[in-house]
Amino acid sequence: MDNKWLERKVIVSLQIKPKTAWQLLEDLDCSAKQLAEAIIHLLKKELIREKKGILSSSIQPKWDPIVFKHFSCKPKQFFDSNNALFKRFRIFGKGFIPQELHLNQQRVNDIDLFNKLSVMTLKKDIADASIAVLGDDDLFSLALALTGLPKKITVFEIDKKILEYIGKIAQREGFEIDLVQHDISKPLPQKYVEKFDGFVTEQPEARIGLYSFLRFGTKALKPNGWGYFSLTCVENSWSKWRQLQADLSQNGFAITSLIEQFSTYLDDDLEEDYDNLRFVRALPFKPANEQQRVYTAALVRIQSTGNHTPLRVPKPRKGESFFVDEETVVEEAIPFNASK
């Protein structure tokens, strides 16, 4: 695949400021596999250099890098972080850290979570609505309940510990939240089919996991229902984005909102199996291990056009699983081949 477009962006990004490979991944709209390929090629051509895990450009720019300081693509904050609801929510999550790494649990930054709540509120999506929360290691159901706006909140979650934690808070605060222990890879129980006005999820990004969550959510929707999910460039090439858009359209859904660099995922488990991360293994040097590795994702809103059908889960390709495909950045025995 021709990566000249990405190689140009890598050089520009490093001309602005030297970066680690992880910082480059956050800065550029590309998958980890694409970036690894570009870095390898640019190092061979000596257009960039690496020292102690830090990458820099070998080419001096013809423009002044300071001009980039005047611009930012970061979305504005949609709420006042001093508001009482946000302060209460932060108390709910204090000391709560999901422990089941094999379930791909990775919490969203609290501020970004409330930004999402703000967007959903401003779009009049949650008032008097029945909402399905698919996986809730972010405790988003508690944020929804704090508003007092939804008519019904139902959490589908495989991890019993998370359900118990949410149930404990809900009972203490007087929130009505239905808690259902369920594996999203399994079919949606019939009694929940077409029973919800909307769904919200922070799903896996491997093809099988992504489509399983979206099938579950779209099957739960009433006609004209809506859904919110997140999607990164880090683990999804543009080809995967395009295919998903085509599948959503074909099944009766429109993408009505897409806000890039919206959700921030914090990964504090940096030392555990760091050397086995596929992105790390693909590079010809060991990238500097960040104090806190960060992924950013776009917030995507979809809307049923009234006569939708649930998405179909594709057949697994060789080496794929619920949490792993050829583009995911995870600990996995088989690395992606970034040299091809």
Side-chain angles (χ1 to χ4, degrees):
M1 184 181 293
D2 185 1
N3 272 346
K4 288 183 179 178
W5 64 271
L6 178 56
E7 291 175 11
R8 177 185 63 81
K9 288 190 172 188
V10 169
I11 291 171
V12 169
S13 181
L14 295 179
Q15 286 174 329
I16 297 168
K17 183 182 178 181
K19 297 177 178 70
T20 68
W22 293 108
Q23 289 168 338
L24 268 179
L25 199 54
E26 182 186 0
D27 195 41
L28 302 175
D29 288 334
C30 65
S31 70
K33 182 178 179 181
Q34 289 172 319
L35 181 58
E37 291 170 349
I39 289 173
I40 290 169
H41 192 234
L42 290 170
L43 285 169
K44 286 180 179 177
K45 293 169 66 176
E46 298 184 351
L47 296 176
I48 64 172
R49 48 183 175 255
E50 178 269 331
K51 184 176 181 180
K52 295 183 178 180
I54 305 296
L55 295 164
S56 59
S57 172
S58 303
I59 307 169
Q60 288 298 317
K62 297 178 180 178
W63 34 265
D64 188 350
I66 201 170
V67 72
F68 282 87
K69 293 185 177 181
H70 297 294
F71 304 99
S72 172
C73 291
K74 298 290 183 183
K76 68 178 183 180
Q77 190 163 313
F78 291 89
F79 72 100
D80 180 1
S81 56
N82 288 316
N83 79 47
L85 294 184
F86 183 63
K87 288 182 176 180
R88 282 181 67 192
F89 176 76
R90 299 202 91 167
I91 293 173
F92 294 165
K94 200 170 183 179
F96 172 73
I97 301 175
Q99 298 294 327
E100 302 298 332
L101 299 179
H102 70 282
L103 295 178
N104 203 37
Q105 291 174 350
Q106 200 173 38
R107 289 191 66 191
V108 174
N109 177 293
D110 286 345
I111 289 177
D112 295 338
L113 185 143
F114 248 68
N115 274 335
K116 178 168 66 175
L117 181 65
S118 300
V119 170
M120 295 171 69
T121 303
L122 292 170
K123 287 186 175 294
K124 313 300 185 292
D125 278 334
I126 66 175
D128 298 321
S130 55
I131 302 171
V133 181
L134 313 185
D136 200 18
D137 52 342
D138 303 313
L139 309 181
F140 190 65
S141 60
L142 294 174
L144 285 168
L146 267 173
T147 68
L149 293 173
K151 179 172 62 179
K152 186 180 181 66
I153 302 168
T154 303
V155 176
F156 297 90
E157 170 62 58
I158 192 173
D159 190 339
K160 186 178 179 180
K161 292 179 182 177
I162 290 177
L163 292 174
E164 289 175 346
Y165 188 89
I166 294 171
K168 180 181 176 182
I169 301 291
Q171 185 176 28
R172 187 185 74 200
E173 298 292 327
F175 298 152
E176 291 188 16
I177 302 175
D178 292 338
L179 303 172
V180 182
Q181 187 173 15
H182 190 81
D183 183 348
I184 300 293
S185 69
K186 308 300 182 186
L188 174 70
Q190 187 61 37
K191 68 178 182 178
Y192 296 115
V193 173
E194 295 188 6
K195 296 298 183 182
F196 295 92
D197 297 297
F199 75 86
V200 58
T201 187
E202 297 286 341
Q203 80 300 322
E205 298 207 284
R207 278 191 337 132
I208 305 305
L210 170 63
Y211 276 82
S212 294
F213 270 75
L214 292 184
R215 175 175 175 78
F216 197 95
T218 53
K219 195 164 186 176
L221 288 184
K222 300 174 184 177
N224 298 303
W226 47 262
Y228 287 83
F229 62 98
S230 296
L231 208 60
T232 71
C233 290
V234 170
E235 296 191 302
N236 298 288
S237 64
W238 291 344
S239 296
K240 200 199 291 188
W241 276 68
R242 185 185 68 171
Q243 185 61 56
L244 177 59
Q245 291 172 21
D247 291 338
L248 286 167
S249 178
Q250 187 175 356
N251 284 270
F253 290 91
I255 295 175
T256 60
S257 298
L258 194 156
I259 310 175
E260 66 175 352
Q261 295 185 353
F262 189 90
S263 298
T264 305
Y265 303 86
L266 305 178
D267 187 354
D268 297 313
D269 301 296
L270 300 182
E271 299 303 327
E272 188 167 338
D273 293 330
Y274 180 76
D275 291 343
N276 286 326
L277 284 169
R278 296 164 93 187
F279 183 53
V280 173
R281 293 173 67 184
L283 295 171
F285 61 93
K286 185 174 179 178
N289 193 349
E290 305 293 320
Q291 289 298 310
Q292 192 174 56
R293 200 160 57 246
V294 175
Y295 305 91
T296 56
L299 178 67
V300 184
R301 182 188 185 276
I302 59 172
Q303 175 75 49
S304 166
T305 55
N307 187 24
H308 70 266
T309 54
L311 267 66
R312 296 179 62 182
V313 180
K315 291 183 179 180
R317 297 169 182 160
K318 185 177 180 180
E320 282 191 340
S321 67
F322 197 80
F323 295 116
V324 176
D325 66 18
E326 64 178 358
E327 296 175 340
T328 49
V329 186
V330 294
E331 297 84 356
E332 183 65 12
I334 303 173
F336 52 61
N337 189 343
S339 63
K340 292 183 178 180

